[in-house]
Amino acid sequence: MKLQALAELVGARFLTGADQGEREVTRAFAADLLSDVLAMVREEGVLLITGTVTPQVVRVAEVMNMGAILFVRGKLPTPATVEYAAGAGVPLLATGKIMYETCGILYQHGVLPAKRKGLPMDHVPPNPAHP
Amino acid sequence: MSPPIPPIHKRIFLVAAGDLEGAGSVSTAVRRTLRELGVEPDVVKRAGIVCFEGEMNMVLFSQGGRIILIVREDRVELLFSDRGPGIANIDLARQPGYSTAPDWARELGFGSGLGIPNMEQNSDRFEIHSRVGEGTVIRSTILRGVHDDTGDRGGARA
Ligand SMILES: Nc1ncnc2c1ncn2[C@@H]1O[C@H](COP(=O)(O)OP(=O)(O)OP(=O)(O)O)[C@@H](O)[C@H]1O
Ligand SMILES: [Mg+2]
């Protein structure tokens, strides 16, 4: 799906990268914890849906060669972060919708889940006894 | 182990404790340097992840330190050394999900407890040494020309 179409579906506006409206994203990953993104996203060009608006979110998107960042819950990064993303070529979008609704809409319209990397803890049985 | 091939590039970066604005900039600079040196994209990506996680831990948990990037023909090495509280139980810190990140750090998107496991998973060799009350030293080695195209790494081979 093109970023422009995606923005219209979830009522998002571009904070930067509006000229990248034709960029395609086919898969998305939603998380607020950055290490989860770094540990689990396998492919490149993935859309990151997040409520975390620190400068590090853009760094993570760069490290992982992600397609764009969509901020949810009306959260907005600082102008300095937007400027940094502009320089790094990472499109930023923002919507007032909550993460669940944003993901639901995009899923319904065919944006696929990102493939998840295997982790050591996948082999831990569910409900481990916590000390 | 045979003596390492001499470096083709070496650079030292300083990391300031608590610098939440600049945190991550070393990772960005390391990636840029590696790309300029023509290092394989897969290695650049893994080094970027390792560096980001190590750098964030230094910013969040230490009193500051430095990161040394060494590029050799056959490998990339990242050396993290900091002054700070150190890690009392390294086995625990290596476990996915273990985190002592305070609430304010969790609100900023940290504290999965996946940083060190993630560094280890993206390294071919990985060592942590720490002394409580003094600091922590981490060495990550990423071998070049060992292409990983599945995206699933079975963990570090120490
Ligand atoms: N440089 C360091 N100095 C002191 N303690 C550290 C250092 N790095 C890590 N730790 C300790 O090890 C724990 C695990 O680190 P790890 O990076 O795996 O997780 P985290 O930083 O808590 O969360 P995440 O990295 O997922 O955001 C930390 O919570 C902290 O207690
Ligand atoms: Mg960490």
Side-chain angles (χ1 to χ4, degrees):
Chain A
M1 182 182 295
K2 290 191 180 7
L3 290 182
Q4 187 55 52
L6 187 151
E8 281 162 26
L9 278 173
V10 299
R13 68 185 173 90
F14 280 89
L15 305 177
T16 177
D19 55 325
Q20 298 290 305
E22 295 292 297
R23 187 182 284 195
E24 287 277 348
V25 290
T26 52
R27 295 185 182 270
F29 188 91
D32 286 348
L33 291 171
L34 299 183
S35 285
D36 283 16
V37 181
L38 290 164
M40 297 184 195
V41 174
R42 185 200 290 239
E43 307 123 305
E44 319 232 305
V46 169
L47 172 73
L48 175 58
I49 301 169
T50 185
T52 298
V53 293
T54 59
Q56 285 76 41
V57 178
V58 181
R59 308 269 184 192
V60 165
E62 275 189 287
V63 168
M64 301 303 282
N65 300 320
M66 300 183 95
I69 303 172
L70 171 55
F71 296 111
V72 294
R73 305 195 286 272
K75 304 249 185 152
L76 293 174
T78 61
T81 300
V82 175
E83 200 177 309
Y84 178 77
V90 179
L92 301 183
L93 297 98
T95 175
K97 294 192 193 302
I98 62 169
M99 190 184 273
Y100 180 72
E101 188 180 6
T102 306
C103 294
I105 293 169
L106 295 180
Y107 190 87
Q108 212 168 29
H109 285 84
V111 177
L112 298 167
K115 287 187 194 143
R116 180 187 178 291
K117 272 197 212 176
L119 286 176
M121 66 186 175
D122 290 344
H123 309 298
V124 175
N127 305 317
H130 272 292
Chain B
M1 200 169 65
S2 52
I5 299 169
I8 50 180
H9 186 89
K10 182 174 169 177
R11 198 165 154 196
I12 300 174
F13 302 90
L14 298 180
V15 178
D19 178 13
L20 287 168
E21 202 49 46
S25 58
V26 177
S27 172
T28 304
V30 162
R31 278 163 27 85
R32 190 185 307 123
T33 303
L34 294 178
R35 272 202 311 263
E36 280 166 10
L37 290 168
V39 170
E40 305 71 17
D42 169 60
V43 176
V44 176
K45 186 168 183 180
R46 286 161 59 197
I49 294 171
V50 170
C51 190
F52 181 88
E53 294 288 13
E55 184 183 358
M56 272 327 307
N57 282 352
M58 276 164 81
V59 170
L60 291 175
F61 302 112
S62 89
Q63 283 148 28
R66 60 187 196 172
I67 299 173
I68 304 177
L69 168 70
I70 300 171
V71 185
R72 303 181 200 275
E73 224 138 89
D74 65 335
R75 71 193 64 187
V76 171
E77 288 164 5
L78 284 161
L79 284 158
F80 305 83
S81 54
D82 67 55
R83 285 162 284 108
I87 302 173
N89 187 337
I90 291 176
D91 288 340
L92 204 55
R94 283 171 110 131
Q95 276 177 30
Y98 175 79
S99 174
T100 64
D103 285 346
W104 63 263
R106 287 170 200 265
E107 275 158 29
L108 295 175
F110 306 106
S112 300
L114 285 179
I116 291 174
N118 207 5
M119 292 173 83
E120 192 157 357
Q121 190 148 35
N122 283 285
S123 305
D124 290 295
R125 285 191 204 118
F126 188 74
E127 288 166 52
I128 306 184
H129 304 278
S130 191
R131 249 184 237 273
V132 172
E134 289 182 27
T136 303
V137 175
I138 296 180
R139 177 199 290 265
S140 159
T141 306
I142 300 167
L143 299 178
R144 301 176 61 184
V146 187
H147 194 70
D148 167 46
D149 50 14
T150 64
D152 266 316
R153 301 184 58 77
R157 281 131 292 200

